[in-house]
């Protein structure tokens, strides 16, 4: 065993020691901030007592998980989280691909750069500002959308943030506006590597622009799209906490209460502080993501021969 490790070091590591040296800080960072804190996950199975600490608290087994499954909010939380995640995935995954394909089909380089730059800008706006813009835009009396609605209909626009049915649409489509340009970068980069000779040969054979997109451009970014889909499904239960929490109020909470906001309220808000229960819910959420990641990766490997491992 020791000899095999030494041989591996001599053959693989020493010839490229500079690369491993660059890798070392990132590896240490991940170990310290991603793997060491995982020891605290054990409080999901304990009745955490601040005075006794993580290691000294009493073991209670699966009680925190049973408590969550028996909670009257369990079904609502799961449904809100899954429906919002799936809705967001169905819209936010194909649109950047379509945007990249359309942008790549334009021949004017200056026009493409301007469109790319404009589409990236919303990504750099903070979530707090985005939510503030939404509140102002959809204000029934002073917002631009509310003013237009009143101008054309003669009626006052209903408050979108007070309507539970509008919450998911506001969340998803504002996210599309903010992220479509940034998300398309990786597909634009993949399209830039397509051999121009393929397009020239297709043009000589009489292929239209749409046919070249379908038979040359799209297949070339399909492996990249598959990897991005696997990663997206692996995080499907991780609905952005910050934006949901900022958009949440007592009037739309029936649709806006998701697992991440519930964990925050149970674990960290004043008067609650049930760390064990919050950790159990978060662990359950991560477990679902892990299982989905394994399943999607297996399906992608079987049907397209593209996978993470």
């Amino acid at each position: 065993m020791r000899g095999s490790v030494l041989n591996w070091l001599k053959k693989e590591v020493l010839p490229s020691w500079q690369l491993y040296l660059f890798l070392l800080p990132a590896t240490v960072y991940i170990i310290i901030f991603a793997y060491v804190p995982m020891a605290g996950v054990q409080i999901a199975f304990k009745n955490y007592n601040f005075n006794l600490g993580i290691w000294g608290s009493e073991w209670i087994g699966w009680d925190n998980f049973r408590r969550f499954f028996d909670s009257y909010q369990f079904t609502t939380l799961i449904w809100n989280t899954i429906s919002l995640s799936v809705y967001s995935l169905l819209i936010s995954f194909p649109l950047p691909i379509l945007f990249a394909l359309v942008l790549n089909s334009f021949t004017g380089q200056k026009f493409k750069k301007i469109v790319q730059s404009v589409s990236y800008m919303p990504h750099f706006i903070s979530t707090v500002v985005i939510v503030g813009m939404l509140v102002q835009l959809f204000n029934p009396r002073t917002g631009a959308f509310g003013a237009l609605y009143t101008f054309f209909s003669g009626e006052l626009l209903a408050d979108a943030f007070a309507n539970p049915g509008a919450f998911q649409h506001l969340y998803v489509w504002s996210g599309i506006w903010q992220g479509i340009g940034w998300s398309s970068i990786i597909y634009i980069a993949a399209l830039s590597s397509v051999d121009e000779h393929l397009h020239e040969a297709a043009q000589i054979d009489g292929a239209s622009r749409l046919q070249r997109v379908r038979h040359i451009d799209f297949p070339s970014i399909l492996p990249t799209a598959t990897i991005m889909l696997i990663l997206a499904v692996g995080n499907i239960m991780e609905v952005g906490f910050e934006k949901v929490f900022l958009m949440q109020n007592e009037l739309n909470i029936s649709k806006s209460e998701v697992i991440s906001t519930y964990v925050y309220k149970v674990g960290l808000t004043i008067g609650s502080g049930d760390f064990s229960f919050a950790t159990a819910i978060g662990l359950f959420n991560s477990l679902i993501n892990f299982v989905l990641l394994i399943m999607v990766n297996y399906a992608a490997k079987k049907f397209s021969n593209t996978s993470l491992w």
Side-chain angles (χ1 to χ4, degrees), residues 84 127 130-132 134-135 138 160-163 166-175 240-253 256 261:
L84 185 58
T127 305
I130 290 289
V131 175
L134 288 174
V135 171
F138 287 94
F161 282 83
N163 180 9
F167 173 80
Q168 293 191 344
H169 302 300
L170 287 173
Y171 177 89
V172 171
W173 289 104
S174 62
F241 162 78
E242 186 180 12
K243 188 175 177 183
V244 173
F245 189 70
L246 289 169
M247 293 176 64
Q248 191 176 80
N249 57 53
E250 292 298 326
L251 298 173
N252 65 21
I253 199 165
S256 63
T261 56

Side-chain angles (χ1 to χ4, degrees), residues 203-221:
Q203 282 179 300
I204 293 172
D205 289 339
S208 64
R209 181 63 226 179
L210 186 61
Q211 288 173 320
R212 282 186 283 139
V213 169
R214 179 184 174 187
H215 297 289
I216 297 175
D217 290 340
F218 184 70
S220 67
I221 64 172

Side-chain angles (χ1 to χ4, degrees), residues 78-99:
I78 295 294
W79 173 251
N80 286 347
T81 304
I82 291 178
S83 60
L84 185 58
S85 298
V86 172
Y87 182 15
S88 182
L89 179 64
L90 290 176
I91 302 298
S92 64
F93 178 71
L95 284 185
I97 299 175
L98 184 63
F99 179 74

